């Protein structure tokens, strides 16, 4: 039987978890930009790092699922957090 900590850790390593965090961070980046935030601020660096962390986890552990998701949603699979500010 798994301990509670093992269960919690395992549930945070799913494609859906990281994808949810990725979309939430993308929304935060969009909000940051709409209030005049730009790529050179500390907040943008934090958001880009968070985005890249979750994107990296997805690519490393769920690569095929990520490619299918990108194809279905007309996204470029090789983008990064900085691209969100372009």
């Amino acid at each position: 039987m798994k301990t509670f900590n093992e269960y919690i850790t395992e549930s945070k390593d799913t494609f859906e978890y990281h994808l949810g965090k990725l979309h939430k961070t993308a929304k935060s980046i969009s909000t940051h930009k709409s209030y005049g935030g730009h790529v050179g601020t500390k907040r943008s660096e934090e958001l880009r790092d968070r985005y890249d962390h979750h994107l990296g986890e997805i690519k490393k552990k769920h690569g095929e699922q990520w490619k299918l998701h990108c194809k279905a949603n007309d996204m470029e699979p090789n983008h990064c957090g900085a691209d969100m500010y372009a």
Side-chain angles (χ1 to χ4, degrees):
M1 182 184 230
K2 295 179 186 176
T3 66
F4 181 72
N5 284 336
E6 289 172 336
Y7 175 76
I8 294 298
T9 303
E10 183 179 280
S11 67
K12 288 186 176 183
D13 201 26
T14 64
F15 177 72
E16 290 78 17
Y17 172 81
H18 288 293
L19 187 63
K21 292 294 186 178
L22 197 68
H23 286 300
K24 185 175 179 179
T25 305
K27 186 175 179 182
S28 295
I29 289 171
S30 178
T31 300
H32 182 246
K33 286 172 37 180
S34 72
Y35 284 105
H38 55 85
V39 76
T41 64
K42 182 172 175 53
R43 177 68 176 151
S44 73
E45 184 179 327
E46 292 168 354
L47 290 170
R48 285 180 292 145
D49 288 346
R50 185 184 321 156
Y51 190 91
D52 289 341
H53 166 74
H54 289 291
L55 185 59
E57 290 296 308
I58 287 173
K59 287 180 178 179
K60 181 171 64 174
K61 297 176 182 169
H62 311 284
E64 291 304 313
Q65 218 173 348
W66 172 245
K67 289 176 186 174
L68 291 173
H69 175 77
C70 288
K71 187 175 183 177
N73 293 290
D74 197 31
M75 296 169 56
E76 174 59 43
N78 293 322
H79 71 280
C80 66
D83 295 336
M84 302 295 288
Y85 282 91

